[in-house]
Amino acid sequence: MRILRKAIPVRTLQTVETAWEVSLKTSVEMYTIWEMTGVLKSLETMDENLFDVIEDFIDEKREDYEDWLESQES
């Protein structure tokens, strides 16, 4: 928990919202960068449960983005 708290800015610990809104496309691109650079693998070795939660979230966002892309084609 100590490592995770160091990664989260103190002021965001006191809110239920994120500090900024990011587009779905930007989020998916960021997750891809995390995968390609090994960030997610590092997280998996640090905390497997947290990794599983984040991986599920990323999969959901990717599906949302694919659905959005399909809707734009029609």
Side-chain angles (χ1 to χ4, degrees):
M1 186 59 96
R2 189 176 330 138
I3 293 170
L4 297 176
R5 286 200 174 141
K6 287 181 180 179
I8 301 172
V10 176
R11 67 182 184 282
T12 58
L13 291 174
Q14 300 173 7
T15 181
V16 294
E17 296 181 14
T18 58
W20 62 90
E21 293 295 323
V22 178
S23 75
L24 188 55
K25 179 181 178 186
T26 300
S27 296
V28 171
E29 289 172 348
M30 183 176 63
Y31 304 144
T32 302
I33 291 169
W34 289 354
E35 278 181 334
M36 295 177 78
T37 58
V39 170
L40 293 178
K41 280 291 177 197
S42 295
L43 178 60
E44 185 176 20
T45 61
M46 287 176 23
D47 188 332
E48 192 171 338
N49 292 328
L50 179 60
F51 170 79
D52 290 341
V53 169
I54 291 174
E55 186 177 45
D56 289 344
F57 181 79
I58 289 172
D59 290 342
E60 183 180 312
K61 290 297 181 180
R62 284 187 170 144
E63 288 174 14
D64 291 347
Y65 183 63
E66 288 173 12
D67 292 344
W68 180 83
L69 286 175
E70 287 176 9
S71 73
Q72 298 302 305
E73 290 176 0
S74 10

